[in-house]
Amino acid sequence: MDAPLEKIADPTLAKMGKNLKEAMKMLEDSQRRTEEENGKKLLSGDIPGPLQGSGQDMVSILQLVQNLMHGDEDEEPQSARIQNIGEQGHIALLGHSLGAYISTLNKEKLRKLTTRILSDTTLWLCRIFRYENGCAYFHEEEREGLAKICRLAIHSRYEDFVVDGFNVLYNKKPVIYLSAAARPGLGQYLCNQLGLPFPCLSRVPCNTMFGSQHQMDVALLEKLIKDDIERGKLPLLLVANAGTAAVGHTDKIGRLKELCEQYGIWLHVEGVNLATLALGYVSSSVLAATKCDSMTLTPGPWLGLPAVPAVTLYKHDDPALTLVAGLTSNKPADKLRALPLWLSLQYLGLDGIVERIKHACQLSQRLQESLKKVNHIKILVEDELSSPVVVFRFFQELPGSDPVCKAVPAPNMAPSAVGRERHSCDALNRWLGEQLKQLVPASGLTVMDLEAEGVCVRFSPLMTAAVLGTQGEDVDQLVACIQSRLPVLTCTLQLREEFKQEVTGTAGLLHVDDPNWPGIGVVRYEHANDDKNSLKLDPEGEKIHTGLLKKLNELESDLTFKMGPEYKSMKSCIYIGMARDDIDVSELVETIAVTAREIEENSRLLENMTEVVRKGIQEAQVQLQKANEERLLEEGVLRQIPVVGSVLNWFSPVQPSQKGRTFNLTAGSLESTEHTYVYKVQDTGVTPPQTPSGTRTKQRLPGQKPFKRSLRGSDALSETSSVSHIEDLEKMEHLSGGLEQEALEANSPEQHPGAPTPHEADQTGAFQNRAQGPEDDCPQVEEPERLR
């Protein structure tokens, strides 16, 4: 941009372009900030302070803006917050600066310049999108253009509205028809802007028997119009969709146009599919939108242009009514709204505009063709080949049953079963959508919840590709990620019912139905003091589940475990994540039950041990006091007197007996220490039995992780492993045979001439046994030396 700026005669324009370039470079260059600078970041940038009297330079102000833009960089990745602004984005941003500069011109020059900008932009847009002899209204809010069109329709149909106002509307209420698939909040916005009551809105249902379920039912619309006319109402305006906000379906605009001409209704069209009017080939349903009374375009996201206004094209012959409705204005500032779009359209050119829209449509077609070859993926717009929006969801057909996660449930299914299946499939599709958004951020995917189909994933490149720079390689990566996540989804879906049955049949465990959890399931351990009717927080249960979570994570399995509150309750539960392989559910459930039971028993043992130790100390104090009293009675009172006691002890010494008490933690009893002082050893008492463990000791192959199904007894064992196992058995038999032969040769008489024969050995052993018999019956007396 340096060379063109040097050729600009106006120094203000040249300086403006240079300053804009430097400012954008400073704001976009966030990579040069190091972690040390993040640590030194001042808190005063986030806290409002007093305005400095001396002022600040441009660099300091831009640095402050940069800190405010990237202040939460540690919490949120930058790519998710700031769009990739290219050269065409700089041109659009320059338009706002130029608008402020142009407004300083004198009135005559300003009028000529704004009229030229407005007429050029209107002519270009009408030719690009095939809307002949149209006018344009530029607005920042997308719905603002439709509100102005409603005002124009009211002024056109109610001639006395300017004089009588809303009294005319009261006598003959206007009706605005909206599709059930229209974007949320549109009807409420129109009523608030126009000051109309909500009964002036008529919601037209979509098709239920024939055609797309997201298209307006034309026959039902005609019936509603006739009913409103009979009730004395005035059908005013119909809003049709050329690409619904959810799935991108297009209404039958040609048939709707005929119906509107028959009853004198204004037809307004909006939707993302209107962008395809710039291409060489356009479907007949979208091409019919060129005959409507007005349409709203959003070229900003279509072309990747930031801060570019939306445009409403309309046809009307009375300039006075358009001025009253607010579609036209004599203020130069209102006309300058088209300046950023005027600059951007010239920068891109006709070929650049068509190429961007064509590229987005090719991306959607590429994804749609690729998803047709992927199993367990249902495309909801498969019948509309021209739609630039692709909506898909995961489903699976289990053997011997109806398809799971299908769009419409079977009519013979119970309502409770339909609800559980719907929530389960919605959780899986929501997990799939979030995974794909993280793995392929350039795809611009959106997870949405449709009323009939449930949770789906939407790919709309016309709204995101130009901003995110989506390419064909991103679509291929997206398909590969979908294929890599399908085994996880199918495996998890198959194990859910088995997990529920295992948990239900296991004592002490409760299966929790959480519709928002996409994993295998949720389980809660019911301890002895658990109040099943209470929904409040359980401290004891939370302590057990915390220890259980720690133990499960230490197993280093492929499953993920989390702890959180129960669905519709505050009690703690264990959430088991997605299954990536074939999991032994019975072993998993048994491990959870046994581990939780052991944690509960250990906690109870500690509590009981505290009480036992306290009582043991009290009992030991009582026994020691009693022993002291017995010692006083045995020695006499005279021995307690200092001088007399010493003389008596010298003439007649008393053999002191050291008696104490020891507490056996294993038996929980108080014992004497006499054995310790006499024999100089501490009696260990009864050896405590080992704590029985209920976990199954499962034989695992080397490197096999927990909860994996065993391959033994199945066809999964390879022939190589079988042969190696047989060879190992033969080696063991050969080795054991050699050891037996060596033992026989070592015991033979020839090897040891002086050794007794087996018969002699038997006699000797019998004599020894007879000689040891009487000694065993007699008590053993230890020698004095050993006692000393």
Side-chain angles (χ1 to χ4, degrees), residues 69-81:
M69 292 172 58
H70 305 286
D72 55 347
E73 195 172 39
D74 297 336
E75 303 176 0
E76 189 177 3
Q78 179 182 354
S79 59
R81 295 180 290 121

Side-chain angles (χ1 to χ4, degrees), residues 33 42 190 411 427 469 668 679:
R33 295 186 305 164
L42 298 178
L190 293 178
Y679 298 101

Side-chain angles (χ1 to χ4, degrees), residues 745-759:
E745 293 177 356
N747 296 330
S748 61
E750 292 78 8
Q751 297 294 335
H752 302 278
T757 62
H759 178 68

Side-chain angles (χ1 to χ4, degrees), residues 111-171:
R111 184 186 62 80
K112 293 181 179 180
L113 182 57
T114 53
T115 303
R116 170 67 184 274
I117 293 173
L118 184 62
S119 60
D120 287 351
T121 310
T122 302
L123 178 62
W124 295 339
L125 290 174
C126 290
R127 289 184 177 180
I128 292 173
F129 296 100
R130 307 186 184 192
Y131 197 76
E132 298 179 358
N133 301 325
C135 301
Y137 172 68
F138 300 89
H139 45 92
E140 302 296 335
E141 220 283 340
E142 294 183 10
R143 300 172 295 182
E144 183 183 351
L146 178 58
K148 300 293 185 182
I149 291 296
C150 291
R151 292 184 184 274
L152 178 61
I154 291 175
H155 284 282
S156 300
R157 297 297 301 273
Y158 295 92
E159 297 180 357
D160 299 333
F161 180 74
V162 178
V163 179
D164 298 335
F166 286 96
N167 292 328
V168 181
L169 303 181
Y170 179 78
N171 298 328

Side-chain angles (χ1 to χ4, degrees), residues 6-129:
E6 295 176 355
K7 298 180 181 180
I8 298 178
D10 192 335
T12 305
L13 290 178
K15 187 175 181 180
M16 185 185 304
K18 183 179 179 180
N19 291 339
L20 177 64
K21 181 180 178 181
E22 294 178 354
M24 293 304 302
K25 182 179 180 181
M26 179 179 297
L27 294 178
E28 292 177 352
D29 190 13
S30 61
Q31 299 295 333
R32 55 191 178 89
R33 295 186 305 164
T34 60
E35 296 180 358
E36 296 179 355
E37 293 176 350
N38 289 333
K40 299 178 181 179
K41 192 163 36 181
L42 298 178
L43 297 177
S44 59
D46 298 334
I47 302 175
L51 184 63
Q52 297 183 8
S54 59
Q56 300 183 31
D57 56 0
M58 182 61 65
V59 177
S60 301
I61 297 175
L62 291 177
Q63 186 67 35
L64 175 60
V65 174
Q66 180 180 350
N67 294 337
L68 295 176
M69 292 172 58
H70 305 286
D72 55 347
E73 195 172 39
D74 297 336
E75 303 176 0
E76 189 177 3
Q78 179 182 354
S79 59
R81 295 180 290 121
I82 300 179
Q83 300 177 357
N84 183 18
I85 302 177
E87 193 74 17
Q88 74 281 356
H90 293 176
I91 295 296
L93 297 178
L94 179 62
H96 294 273
S97 301
L98 283 176
Y101 175 66
I102 292 175
S103 61
T104 60
L105 300 176
N106 58 65
K107 293 183 178 180
E108 186 63 24
K109 289 185 179 180
L110 182 60
R111 184 186 62 80
K112 293 181 179 180
L113 182 57
T114 53
T115 303
R116 170 67 184 274
I117 293 173
L118 184 62
S119 60
D120 287 351
T121 310
T122 302
L123 178 62
W124 295 339
L125 290 174
C126 290
R127 289 184 177 180
I128 292 173
F129 296 100

Side-chain angles (χ1 to χ4, degrees), residues 507-561:
L509 296 183
L510 176 65
H511 183 268
V512 180
D513 290 328
D514 192 340
N516 299 322
W517 180 248
I520 295 179
V522 185
V523 62
R524 179 165 64 89
Y525 177 73
E526 295 179 321
H527 55 88
N529 301 326
D530 189 5
D531 187 3
K532 300 180 181 180
N533 298 326
S534 177
L535 301 178
K536 297 181 180 179
L537 183 64
D538 184 13
E540 184 178 355
E542 184 177 3
K543 182 178 179 181
I544 295 175
H545 285 88
T546 302
L548 177 59
L549 177 64
K550 182 179 179 181
K551 293 289 185 182
L552 293 175
N553 289 329
E554 289 176 356
L555 296 177
E556 297 182 355
S557 63
D558 290 337
L559 294 174
T560 57
F561 301 94

Side-chain angles (χ1 to χ4, degrees), residues 543-544 547-548 551 594-603:
K543 182 178 179 181
I544 295 175
L548 177 59
K551 293 289 185 182
V594 171
T595 306
R597 195 176 299 116
E598 290 178 355
I599 295 174
E600 182 184 12
E601 293 175 356
N602 292 336
S603 61

